Amino acid sequence: MSFVRRSVPMFVVSLVATSVLTAAGATAATPAPVATTTVAAAQAPAAQAPAAKKSADKRRNHVVKPGVTFNIGNGGVEKRRAIMRKVNRTIANTRKGATIRIFSWKIWTYAGVTALLNAQKRGVVVKAIMDKKNTIVESNPHFPRLRKGLKAGNRKKNGELRKKAKRSGAKLCQGSCRGPGGSAHSKFFVFSSSGKSKHIYMHSSSNWGDAAANRQWNDMYTFVGDKGIYDAAAKVFDQAWKDKPVKKKERWFEHTTDDGSIVVAWSPTTKKSKKKDRLTNVLDEVKCRGARGNFGNANGRTIIRSAPDVIRGNRGMSVAKQLRKLWIAGCDVKIGYTVMGKDVNRMLKQPSRRGPVPIRHLVQDFDGDGIFDRYFHMKTLTINGRIGSNRQATWMVNGSANLSQLALVSDETFSYFINRPGITKRYQNHIDFWYRNYPSTTHPNKVVARLVEMGVIDPYAKMEMD
């Protein structure tokens, strides 16, 4: 979902600290004898060679670990930047001849851009896509630096332009790249190789930027060595690179692994592809009682955990109604959210024989100024228990798509995990933990609360609701 950043100039003051660096003048040294200078100059490259070799060896031996990565919005640097660092390490360990494709609604990272420019210097082909909105609603210093740097790097030292297949670049999409509307909301990273690892596909709820690393809870799932998934992701990226609507029948594109347990997919949707909506179809098949073994909760009830960043509009209401129905039928349902439509909120809080559906607002205002500082940004739903006749079933969807109308017509990424209990339960436990232990918020005083109520202060002013 896209948004326009709103400001509150009367109440929010942005302080910019400027550092002034001064360099002391060097003291002139006594000239060394010519012979000594010649020896030192001759030895300098030799002294640097071991370090260069060590770096090359490290790059050659790097292994990309598959599976889930979570970052923690209120953790230390390592936990906050876990996703960013994994992506940046993968970039840093690419070698000559590799290709990197990055599609992120927002690119806002000095370290990441530097890593891409350095990769191009090593002979890696780099391509990046971002939604144009993120050069309009605010000043973005990082994307222009990336685009300018990659363009300059397309020329050899003699000034000659590299062959087209070897050129790198960065592009902006005005709205969806592969469809006629919406936004360029995908968040995925495709690497032909990095170190020893090949055919790498990472997709995430996290934009490639500092806000994602410092204020949000996100997830990223990494596939390594699956050429089918890699080829599918590369195909979708290459279509998006052209920035033209593809044929309607190709807008929803998916790939299923040989064992049928994982489906990776990309939107936008069309009227026909909406019928293939796995989320609503699977929720229709859920039975709330009768789970067996180590599935469901201790009473054999099916467990459903939903953690959308945004749940609103017709799409959000449709899914929320299904979740309420399942809650009333006896399922163990919990919903954590960041932004929820008022109508959706009212509907979920309606009385029933079991009471309202359990929901929790996963946002934090840690200084009481009425503006949320940290928030959940995942887009995940897990099911663990009984689906149809299967009493030991698990199912999960994650990726970049919110539960909103805009997500249906935007570039989005999805992964469906079907009867993969290890992955599903790990996500379920992660959502459960933060549902119970989300950091407490500081409630604003009466004056600030009144200003929020009047709309003078926007609680969501710092948020990337995308």
Side-chain angles (χ1 to χ4, degrees), residues 87 101-102 187-191 200-202 204 208 220:
V87 174
R101 298 172 173 92
I102 291 180
K187 307 150 197 323
F188 67 89
F189 311 84
V190 191
F191 301 84
I200 303 152
Y201 172 58
M202 303 171 170
S204 183
W208 200 38
M220 181 172 75

Side-chain angles (χ1 to χ4, degrees), residues 155-294:
R155 292 195 176 274
K156 301 177 183 178
K157 290 182 180 179
N158 63 3
E160 181 185 344
L161 196 61
R162 298 184 188 278
K163 292 181 180 179
K164 192 172 182 179
K166 299 294 183 182
R167 292 178 204 166
S168 298
K171 284 190 174 183
L172 297 168
C173 286
Q174 178 73 54
S176 169
C177 305
R178 297 175 63 248
S183 65
H185 193 244
S186 288
K187 307 150 197 323
F188 67 89
F189 311 84
V190 191
F191 301 84
S192 60
S193 63
S194 177
K196 290 183 177 180
S197 303
K198 293 183 178 180
H199 303 134
I200 303 152
Y201 172 58
M202 303 171 170
H203 84 135
S204 183
S205 65
S206 174
N207 293 303
W208 200 38
D210 292 339
N214 295 319
R215 297 203 296 267
Q216 300 172 358
W217 277 254
N218 281 296
D219 74 288
M220 181 172 75
Y221 199 89
T222 302
F223 299 91
V224 179
D226 191 314
K227 192 172 185 301
I229 289 177
Y230 170 84
D231 287 343
K235 176 180 178 177
V236 169
F237 182 95
D238 291 346
Q239 288 177 337
W241 185 254
K242 295 175 183 177
D243 195 14
K244 287 188 195 172
V246 297
K247 294 177 182 178
K248 282 187 178 181
K249 64 181 181 180
E250 292 184 16
R251 285 180 196 162
W252 178 268
F253 184 76
E254 62 182 50
H255 171 81
T256 305
T257 56
D258 291 341
D259 64 359
S261 68
I262 298 173
V263 180
V264 288
W266 297 263
S267 62
T269 60
T270 63
K271 288 183 179 179
K272 287 186 177 180
S273 63
K274 282 180 186 176
K275 295 178 182 178
K276 298 170 71 174
D277 186 346
R278 285 176 174 78
L279 175 56
T280 56
N281 290 342
V282 169
L283 287 174
D284 280 342
E285 295 179 17
V286 168
K287 307 295 182 185
C288 290
R289 304 170 192 270
R292 292 178 179 170
N294 293 321

